[in-house]
Amino acid sequence: MTIDMRGAKGRLNRPFVGIPTFLRSDICTNLDELNADIAVLGVPTDEGSPFMAGSRFGPRALREHSLRFAAGDGFYNIDNGKHFLVDEMKNRRIVDVGDSDILPTNVEGTFENITADVRLILEKGAMPVVMGGDHAITYPVVRAFDGHGPLSVIHFDAHIDYAPFIHDLRYTNAHAFRLIRPLPFMKEMIQVGIRSLRSTQETVDDSRNDGNRVVTMGEFHALGPVGLAQLLPQDSRCYVSIDVDALDISLVPGCVSAEPNGMLYAELRDTLAAIAEHLDVVGFDFVEVNPQMDVATGVTAYLGAHTMVEFLGHICAQPRWKDRHAG
């Protein structure tokens, strides 16, 4: 007697088999045909990293580790006794749309492709969830929200990423938020966890003088997760950009730019949960995982996928999300 292990109820879908889409969601290879609430997009480029390459492989690693959560429908949080992402996964409302087309050495062309992809996702009524790549990719993602503003941005990072435009450099991972700030639909920007000794006073002053709120680790601890979320008005439309180096260096061996004195996982998790509850999150990215530096078990990529899955679960658990995507 043979057993059909490929049947809907028979296949076990272990993490090491099958096509590694994010959370083993359906694949959409043509954005014109996208029909989902959430579109997961990979942006595998690291030409904006001035120190060491490798984060271009981040989207693939994040997808692979996300499969460890995909054995059933959604996930269960033992601390609060709640299930998350059940409806979204059961009803196939999360779709993996593959990767933006990367044009090596043509950064502006690559950025145009990224912006075009995110614009199509937004036009189809889906929320973009973007996997980098280095942090330079946040600029072409956020600029796609023209016509979908106003928009505030919360930026988690060890670094200010507000470098001046010198030596004709403007598209590195150190420039993204200086490029984002003047976009006409931008409202407020909050930069959280900034602590690197390599962030100069000039760049910090420039960010503050442009009206941004720079939250150091000391202030972050004083505010707490809810206080941080409440820096923006209730239900503000918000894009969240998460650099893995917001977490402490001890947690993220697979990150080129990791720094000491960072967040613990629980601190970042609870803050993202508070943001999801207080604000209207309309998109987010997770960047700077470098699998080539990660230890054998891929702990940084796993931690990245874990962060994305939990944040996504909290976003979709909100009444505003359920009302918007009912049916």
Side-chain angles (χ1 to χ4, degrees):
M1 178 180 177
T2 59
I3 299 174
D4 179 11
M5 294 303 292
R6 293 181 178 271
K9 294 184 178 180
R11 191 171 185 109
L12 295 175
N13 276 337
R14 296 300 187 194
F16 46 83
V17 301
I19 299 170
T21 63
F22 189 79
L23 285 177
R24 210 179 290 281
S25 55
D26 287 350
I27 301 171
C28 176
T29 58
N30 184 351
L31 283 173
D32 290 326
E33 299 174 356
L34 177 64
N35 180 22
D37 298 327
I38 298 157
V40 182
L41 174 70
V43 183
T45 177
D46 54 20
E47 290 187 71
S49 181
F51 179 53
M52 186 180 294
S55 58
R56 69 183 63 185
F57 299 106
R60 181 168 297 181
L62 290 167
R63 284 186 173 105
E64 289 177 348
H65 282 278
S66 79
L67 301 184
R68 299 170 71 179
F69 299 93
D73 293 330
F75 66 89
Y76 171 67
N77 187 319
I78 192 172
D79 283 335
N80 56 29
K82 295 181 180 179
H83 287 87
F84 293 86
L85 296 180
V86 175
D87 292 338
E88 285 74 21
M89 293 182 68
K90 185 179 296 182
N91 298 327
R92 302 178 183 274
R93 303 306 298 166
I94 302 175
V95 170
D96 193 320
V97 297
D99 296 335
S100 290
D101 195 19
I102 305 303
L103 310 176
T105 76
N106 182 354
V107 175
E108 293 187 11
T110 293
F111 279 17
E112 289 295 334
N113 290 340
I114 298 166
T115 301
D117 287 344
V118 177
R119 280 189 178 135
L120 269 174
I121 289 169
L122 293 170
E123 287 171 9
K124 292 295 183 178
M127 181 180 76
V129 173
V130 182
M131 304 177 292
D134 67 59
H135 219 156
I137 65 103
T138 300
Y139 167 60
V141 171
V142 171
R143 73 177 177 184
F145 280 83
D146 58 323
H148 297 271
L151 188 71
S152 295
V153 169
I154 300 181
H155 164 211
F156 289 90
D157 207 318
H159 312 91
I160 196 77
D161 290 358
Y162 220 80
F165 305 132
I166 57 175
H167 304 301
D168 202 30
L169 293 176
R170 62 177 49 240
Y171 297 129
T172 78
N173 61 3
H175 292 90
F177 294 87
R178 188 181 286 264
L179 289 164
I180 289 169
R181 175 69 266 186
L183 292 171
F185 54 87
M186 272 293 300
K187 288 189 68 179
E188 299 177 73
M189 182 183 293
I190 300 173
Q191 300 181 277
V192 188
I194 311 304
R195 63 190 188 278
S196 173
L197 301 183
R198 293 182 286 117
S199 292
T200 67
Q201 180 179 350
E202 175 192 15
T203 56
V204 173
D205 288 347
D206 282 352
S207 181
R208 287 176 168 152
N209 290 337
D210 285 343
N212 304 323
R213 179 71 175 264
V214 179
V215 179
T216 64
M217 284 302 298
E219 186 180 4
F220 169 74
H221 287 135
L223 285 168
V226 174
L228 189 283
Q230 290 178 346
L231 292 178
L232 293 176
Q234 178 86 35
D235 293 324
S236 295
R237 288 170 50 79
C238 177
Y239 183 90
V240 180
S241 181
I242 309 163
D243 190 319
V244 71
D245 68 30
L247 293 163
D248 188 72
I249 191 171
S250 61
L251 301 176
V252 289
C255 176
V256 169
S257 53
E259 301 280 2
N261 190 34
M263 296 180 189
L264 300 177
Y265 178 78
E267 292 176 321
L268 178 58
R269 175 201 64 201
D270 293 349
T271 305
L272 292 174
I275 287 170
E277 182 174 342
H278 182 69
L279 304 172
D280 184 8
V281 179
V282 295
F284 71 90
D285 63 52
F286 196 93
V287 301
E288 295 285 356
V289 171
N290 188 334
Q292 294 186 327
M293 295 180 60
D294 223 349
V295 296
T297 54
V299 294
T300 311
Y302 177 68
L303 195 60
H306 203 289
T307 303
M308 293 178 65
V309 170
E310 278 207 278
F311 189 26
L312 196 54
H314 284 292
I315 293 169
C316 295
Q318 302 308 312
R320 75 173 72 84
W321 175 271
K322 295 184 181 297
D323 290 344
R324 183 181 300 158
H325 298 281

